[in-house]
Amino acid sequence: MARAISRATTPLPFSTSLPPAALSSFYSPSSLSFTPKPNNFNFPSLTRTGFFNKKFKTLSQHNYRYTVRASQRGYRKVRRLTAATRRRKEKDLELSVSICIEEGLPNDPEILSIAELLRLNVAMAMKVAFDSLKSSTFKTRDEAISDVGGFDSIELSVMLCNDEFIRKLNLEWRDEDHATDVLSMSQHMPGLDLPIVSERSLMLGDIVISVETAARQAEERGHTLIDEIRVLLVHGLLHLLGFDHEISDEAEVEMEKEEGNLLESLGWKGKGLIQSACDAETNMNHHMENSDGNFTQKPNLLDQCKGIERGFVKGVKVVIATGKARPAVIDILKAVDLAGKDGVISETSPGVFLQGLIVYGRQGREIFRCNLDLSVCREACLYSWEHKVPLIAFSNDRCLTLFEHPLVDSLHTIYHEPKAEIMPSVEHLLSAADIQKMIFLDTAERVVTTLRPYWSEATGGRANVVQAVPDMLEIVPLGTSKGSSVKMLLDHLGVTPKEIMAIGDGENDIEMLELASLGVALSNGSEKTKAVANVIGASNDENGVADAIYRYAF
């Protein structure tokens, strides 16, 4: 997920104080702005005013000339350019481009080769983008940078780094402790009508790209690493030139179109970053709604809430037993005003959560918790990282993961689980908190053919493997279930199984349905679940929960 940061690295010739730096998330549905923490991050500007000030010789190209600067203080140098010895009668616009490789990256020939290509690619992209600004009219672009021909030189830097480096930068400026793909460090200051200019030189800004994140995205999108880095470069450059798709739908369309135009004009492969993100979300939603199998992919949660509301109003005592975390259930039931002190669920009500791994009794006090074997957690994290399969670790009211992915986002946006916190490493994740369960997210086919067979064997009697929906594989502690935790809660509340009805559709509901005097399996449920039920009810799409409560509880 890309980010843009506006900041200055040199004082402006004004006596007034400068406004705080601002940052907006490229892919959030709404514009977000942040003020950096008081202790400014010690990130040197890559432009000529910063530490990176040893020039290479220049190379002439068309009517543009660019300079590549070597790196200092912990950054590796990129091989020098040959010099252009011929002077032109016509004054050139000098494009001063700095390419740096952060020392945390491995000494990989592919990375060095990409850095060499970028020396040419960045200048080409700048030229095409500038030409487009002159020849096109944009309705939503910030026009603080308009006529680049009015400058003698334009400075831009590009840094290739690892996830750890960009994570620290992301943390400092956004208070988000996770890696991202690209950060655009704009030299344009909010509230001022001009960019930073020194001696007729436009300091455009810095683009920081995580090679590790770019590599993962390249694999997901089916193209090479250099293709993905070029896509990120174009996106970051357009943001520095005043495009921001967050301000409106029209702005998003305009920036997405310009990304495509630049990539096509440059002859570079791949879709624009905005289009790729939209395609990934569309494909994920399509899969959630149309995947084959005997599960409900995207439960109609509001309809289920209405069924609970009907029972609650009629005096039926409703206790939630779910694989979700408690905050997710509270969020869902708010939609029908059933969350809170007088509702079905609150911080002080009893309930069974995370497949029975956390149980709350009277006054919402925790009466049971079971954690997943640490060795299983470690193996699952390493598998996720090595095979790039998204993994969510549930820890009480938190969700933790190792990298960004549309399926990870879907757990929050579709299933209302807490937004996943991205941990910088396996060790960070394991040490963050005790883990109750883990979920792998993949296609339904890969879960059935690859993940489930592998982890059923790999857990080796240390954990159980269950499924609630086809594109998720859950790993839970051995010997635990919703059923056993519901029994524990009933004993705590002084209620017998003969007094309850249970409704479910997933494999994780089997023990609970067996325990209850009346077990109702929804028709969309798994065959194993329906096999143990007393009654097969309507499907989720047919308001099965509401129908079951109406038929059997009143």
Side-chain angles (χ1 to χ4, degrees):
M1 183 177 292
R3 300 286 187 272
I5 303 170
S6 298
R7 63 159 176 80
T9 55
T10 54
L12 292 176
F14 297 99
S15 58
T16 57
S17 60
L18 296 177
L23 178 145
S24 62
S25 166
F26 282 176
Y27 289 119
S28 173
S30 60
S31 182
L32 302 175
S33 61
F34 301 83
T35 301
K37 293 183 291 187
N39 53 324
N40 292 329
F41 184 61
N42 187 22
F43 180 78
S45 170
L46 307 186
T47 53
R48 69 178 180 176
T49 56
F51 293 127
F52 306 94
N53 54 11
K54 181 182 291 185
K55 292 187 178 181
F56 285 124
K57 296 180 180 179
T58 60
L59 172 66
S60 294
Q61 181 178 335
H62 306 295
N63 291 325
Y64 290 82
R65 189 173 67 219
Y66 69 95
T67 303
V68 175
R69 304 178 187 277
S71 57
Q72 294 180 355
R73 297 197 180 186
Y75 296 88
R76 297 201 304 272
K77 297 179 181 180
V78 177
R79 184 167 56 85
R80 297 188 177 188
L81 295 172
T82 59
T85 57
R86 186 177 59 184
R87 291 188 177 181
R88 288 180 172 80
K89 295 181 180 180
E90 180 182 357
K91 187 175 182 180
D92 294 337
L93 170 64
E94 180 179 311
L95 302 183
S96 182
V97 178
S98 300
I99 306 294
C100 297
I101 302 176
E102 196 270 324
E103 64 176 353
L105 282 175
N107 191 19
D108 189 330
E110 183 181 13
I111 296 175
L112 295 175
S113 176
I114 288 173
E116 293 288 344
L117 287 172
L118 286 179
R119 295 187 306 167
L120 300 174
N121 290 170
V122 175
M124 291 167 56
M126 291 171 71
K127 179 184 183 304
V128 172
F130 294 158
D131 289 345
S132 180
L133 293 185
K134 291 187 295 183
S135 62
S136 304
T137 301
F138 302 100
K139 296 181 180 180
T140 63
R141 188 181 75 87
D142 182 350
E143 296 183 350
I145 299 174
S146 53
D147 183 15
V148 297
F151 301 99
D152 294 335
S153 65
I154 299 178
E155 297 185 20
L156 174 67
S157 70
V158 176
M159 170 176 279
L160 303 180
C161 68
N162 60 13
D163 280 352
E164 178 65 14
F165 184 90
I166 208 166
R167 179 190 69 82
K168 291 179 180 178
L169 194 60
N170 207 18
L171 175 62
E172 184 65 27
W173 288 90
R174 301 187 66 247
D175 282 324
E176 291 199 11
D177 191 9
H178 62 82
T180 186
D181 49 11
V182 56
L183 290 169
S184 293
M185 311 284 290
S186 176
Q187 296 290 337
H188 172 58
M189 295 300 295
L192 299 180
D193 294 330
L194 71 165
I196 297 175
V197 181
S198 174
E199 300 177 356
R200 296 184 60 79
S201 175
L202 169 63
M203 290 174 278
L204 196 58
D206 310 320
I207 299 174
V208 184
I209 297 173
S210 170
V211 175
E212 293 175 340
T213 299
R216 291 193 296 270
Q217 294 178 175
E219 183 177 357
E220 293 167 4
R221 294 164 184 169
H223 52 226
T224 65
L225 178 56
I226 183 60
D227 292 333
E228 181 66 16
I229 288 177
R230 285 167 171 165
V231 168
L232 298 177
L233 168 66
V234 166
H235 191 83
L237 177 60
L238 287 178
H239 197 87
L240 293 179
L241 292 176
F243 290 87
D244 185 356
H245 70 82
E246 289 186 330
I247 60 178
S248 66
D249 291 341
E250 184 180 18
E252 180 176 352
V253 171
E254 193 165 67
M255 185 172 179
E256 180 181 350
K257 181 179 179 181
E258 189 64 9
E259 280 186 334
N261 289 341
L262 285 188
L263 289 169
E264 182 178 1
S265 298
L266 291 162
W268 292 350
K269 297 178 181 179
K271 300 176 182 179
L273 194 58
I274 297 173
Q275 184 179 350
S276 294
C278 291
D279 287 350
E281 183 175 357
T282 299
N283 292 337
M284 182 269 296
N285 287 335
H286 177 77
H287 170 69
M288 295 295 293
E289 293 171 357
N290 298 292
S291 179
D292 293 332
N294 294 316
F295 298 85
T296 296
Q297 283 297 306
K298 188 176 180 182
N300 192 330
L301 296 172
L302 288 181
D303 286 338
Q304 294 190 42
C305 290
K306 291 173 183 176
I308 295 172
E309 179 184 30
R310 179 180 294 181
F312 185 67
V313 170
K314 291 286 188 177
V316 176
K317 179 63 177 178
V318 179
V319 175
I320 303 297
T322 178
K324 295 181 178 295
R326 183 164 62 177
V329 182
I330 291 175
D331 184 54
I332 293 167
L333 292 184
K334 281 181 180 178
V336 288
D337 296 323
L338 287 178
K341 182 179 179 181
D342 298 322
V344 172
I345 186 172
S346 70
E347 298 289 340
T348 60
S349 62
V352 176
F353 302 94
L354 297 182
Q355 309 295 24
L357 303 176
I358 296 181
V359 181
Y360 298 100
R362 294 185 181 89
Q363 286 76 51
R365 291 196 294 265
E366 183 180 307
I367 62 173
F368 175 75
R369 175 191 295 260
C370 185
N371 297 327
L372 189 59
D373 184 283
L374 184 59
S375 65
V376 174
C377 295
R378 184 181 302 279
E379 291 169 22
C381 287
L382 293 174
Y383 183 96
S384 171
W385 188 259
E386 180 180 354
H387 297 276
K388 306 307 176 190
V389 179
L391 175 73
I392 301 289
F394 284 77
S395 177
N396 198 4
D397 292 345
R398 301 171 66 192
C399 287
L400 311 175
T401 190
L402 291 169
F403 50 83
E404 291 180 343
H405 194 280
L407 291 178
V408 170
D409 294 336
S410 75
L411 210 63
H412 174 64
T413 58
I414 295 176
Y415 291 96
H416 300 267
E417 296 290 4
K419 186 173 178 59
E421 304 169 40
I422 300 179
M423 298 288 104
S425 69
V426 171
E427 292 305 320
H428 278 82
L429 189 151
L430 296 176
S431 62
D434 292 331
I435 296 168
Q436 285 79 56
K437 73 170 185 175
M438 289 185 151
I439 296 182
F440 282 105
L441 304 101
D442 209 331
T443 63
E445 180 182 2
R446 279 182 51 81
V447 169
V448 171
T449 61
T450 303
L451 290 178
R452 184 152 193 168
Y454 177 87
W455 284 103
S456 294
E457 181 178 351
T459 50
R462 296 171 294 160
N464 286 334
V465 175
V466 297
Q467 275 184 272
V469 291
D471 52 1
M472 297 183 193
L473 184 74
E474 303 191 32
I475 302 178
V476 300
L478 195 64
T480 59
S481 68
K482 278 188 190 177
S484 61
S485 294
V486 168
K487 179 63 168 61
M488 181 186 305
L489 180 58
L490 293 178
D491 292 341
H492 173 77
L493 298 174
V495 178
T496 67
K498 292 181 179 181
E499 300 176 74
I500 69 168
M501 175 181 73
I503 307 170
D505 60 359
E507 289 182 23
N508 56 347
D509 296 319
I510 289 176
E511 293 86 352
M512 182 178 68
L513 297 187
E514 291 177 323
L515 173 70
S517 62
L518 178 65
V520 181
L522 304 185
S523 61
N524 58 272
S526 73
E527 295 302 323
K528 291 181 180 179
T529 305
K530 289 187 285 188
V532 304
N534 302 111
V535 176
I536 307 299
S539 70
N540 264 320
D541 291 337
E542 299 168 321
N543 302 330
V545 173
D547 182 75
I549 292 176
Y550 181 79
R551 287 177 182 272
Y552 306 114
F554 298 156

